[in-house]
Amino acid sequence: MDTTTLVDWYTTHARDLPWRQPGTTAWGVLVSEIMLQQTPVARVEPAWLDWMARWPRPSDLAAASPADVLRAWGKLGYPRRAVRLREAAVVISLSHNDIVPSDVDTLLSLPGIGAYTARAVAAFGYGRRCPVVDTNVRRVVARAVHGAGDSGPASTNRDLADVDALLPADEPTAARVSIALMELGAMICTARSPRCADCPVYPVCAWQRAGRPAYTGPAKPVQRYAGTDRQVRGLLLDVLRDTPEPVLKARLDVVWADAGQRDRCLDSLLVDGLVEQTPDGRFALPGDH
Ligand code: SF4
């Protein structure tokens, strides 16, 4: 793949996202990467701006209560991310001088930081050369390099090696290639309808050269939301976010008719530390009583 053309394309076509502005700290990059997991950019953008204005350093977030953090997370979904991010902020402020670590292994040791996020922070926050592999990048590599219609099941070592092979030796340039690959997958080489006519790697794309063969790998799971435990957990948390006082269980019971599912979800929120029970049996966000 011609990574120079790819980076040139990124330079002129990339979305103007606030966490990509020059001067964004590695903390800002880390917050953006956590928020962007499973949540669309349009919803993350205002939340990220509010969050960074309120908690510009890890120590600022570490000093906030979990309840405030969960309220600020609002409707971004998967709220355990917010609690884990605060836990990471505590470790960064106490053990790393309030500076987000720059090497992948130290990043991986932080609460809630997985393989993707650690590499994304090293590359986008510090300009390091390290492969950053998300679903979009896997799809671009599957098509442009391997000539397949889509990516098959993830395989961490193979996926990292595939992307590593594309990165130039120069660290800042490699980091640009990493973010350009992600942008290409998000904006051009999309899952359902790739915009090949607008694609900077079209002339060398293996999928094009092979005559655009159909994807023949295993079917991908379809994610639904309505009726899932994730929806019910969200409804229960909405009640607690909207009140400064602990609530009786009856206030929670009205959000979902199926008592078995409702109670299972409330239990899981308690186990995850996203909800606490007061000594008198009411429910609240953690630290909110
Ligand atoms: S030419 Fe089409 S399939 Fe190939 S990388 Fe570009 S958008 Fe994807």
Side-chain angles (χ1 to χ4, degrees), residues 16 60 65 125 129 179 207 222 270:
D16 187 18
D60 299 318
S65 77
R129 182 194 184 283
I179 200 158
W207 188 58
V222 178
L270 289 162

Side-chain angles (χ1 to χ4, degrees), residues 1 139-141 143-145 148 184 188-190 194-208 212:
M1 187 189 295
R139 186 173 56 252
V140 170
V141 170
R143 288 175 177 159
V145 177
L184 189 72
I188 301 286
C189 194
T190 57
R195 292 165 43 205
C196 301
D198 299 323
C199 179
V201 303
Y202 176 87
V204 294
C205 173
W207 188 58
Q208 289 293 345
R212 302 170 63 110

Side-chain angles (χ1 to χ4, degrees), residues 6-76:
L6 177 64
V7 168
D8 287 348
W9 168 83
Y10 177 80
T11 302
T12 49
H13 290 83
R15 288 167 293 175
D16 187 18
L17 302 174
W19 47 86
R20 291 180 179 168
Q21 295 299 316
T24 302
T25 60
W27 168 241
V29 171
L30 172 57
V31 172
S32 74
E33 289 297 340
I34 297 287
M35 287 183 170
L36 286 165
Q37 293 165 10
Q38 324 266 3
T39 308
V41 164
R43 282 170 58 204
V44 167
E45 221 171 331
W48 184 87
L49 289 167
D50 287 350
W51 194 280
M52 295 310 295
R54 190 169 178 187
W55 297 307
R57 294 165 304 179
S59 53
D60 299 318
L61 183 66
S65 77
D68 281 348
V69 171
L70 282 169
R71 283 204 179 86
W73 195 255
K75 308 279 276 178
L76 289 178

Side-chain angles (χ1 to χ4, degrees), residues 224-243:
R224 64 186 181 94
Y225 180 67
T228 59
D229 284 5
R230 195 156 76 81
Q231 183 187 15
V232 179
R233 283 164 54 104
L235 292 169
L236 293 168
L237 280 178
D238 283 348
V239 173
L240 300 177
R241 261 198 299 263
D242 289 343
T243 169

Side-chain angles (χ1 to χ4, degrees), residues 92-233:
I92 294 166
S93 63
L94 293 178
S95 305
H96 299 285
N97 214 14
D98 214 14
I99 295 171
V100 174
S102 60
D103 74 284
V104 170
D105 286 341
T106 312
L107 284 158
L108 282 169
S109 72
L110 298 173
I113 307 298
Y116 165 78
T117 308
R119 289 184 172 80
V121 171
F124 310 147
Y126 290 105
R128 292 288 171 89
R129 182 194 184 283
C130 59
V132 185
V133 182
D134 70 351
T135 310
N136 290 334
V137 171
R138 291 179 59 243
R139 186 173 56 252
V140 170
V141 170
R143 288 175 177 159
V145 177
H146 298 304
D150 205 340
S151 57
S155 161
T156 307
N157 289 342
R158 187 197 61 212
D159 295 341
L160 288 174
D162 272 351
V163 176
D164 189 73
L166 298 174
L167 299 183
D170 176 64
E171 296 233 19
T173 310
R176 296 281 287 176
V177 171
S178 291
I179 200 158
L181 281 170
M182 290 188 63
E183 189 75 350
L184 189 72
M187 303 306 294
I188 301 286
C189 194
T190 57
R192 295 226 174 92
S193 44
R195 292 165 43 205
C196 301
D198 299 323
C199 179
V201 303
Y202 176 87
V204 294
C205 173
W207 188 58
Q208 289 293 345
R209 291 182 163 207
R212 302 170 63 110
Y215 172 68
T216 53
K220 311 219 164 181
V222 178
Q223 286 203 350
R224 64 186 181 94
Y225 180 67
T228 59
D229 284 5
R230 195 156 76 81
Q231 183 187 15
V232 179
R233 283 164 54 104

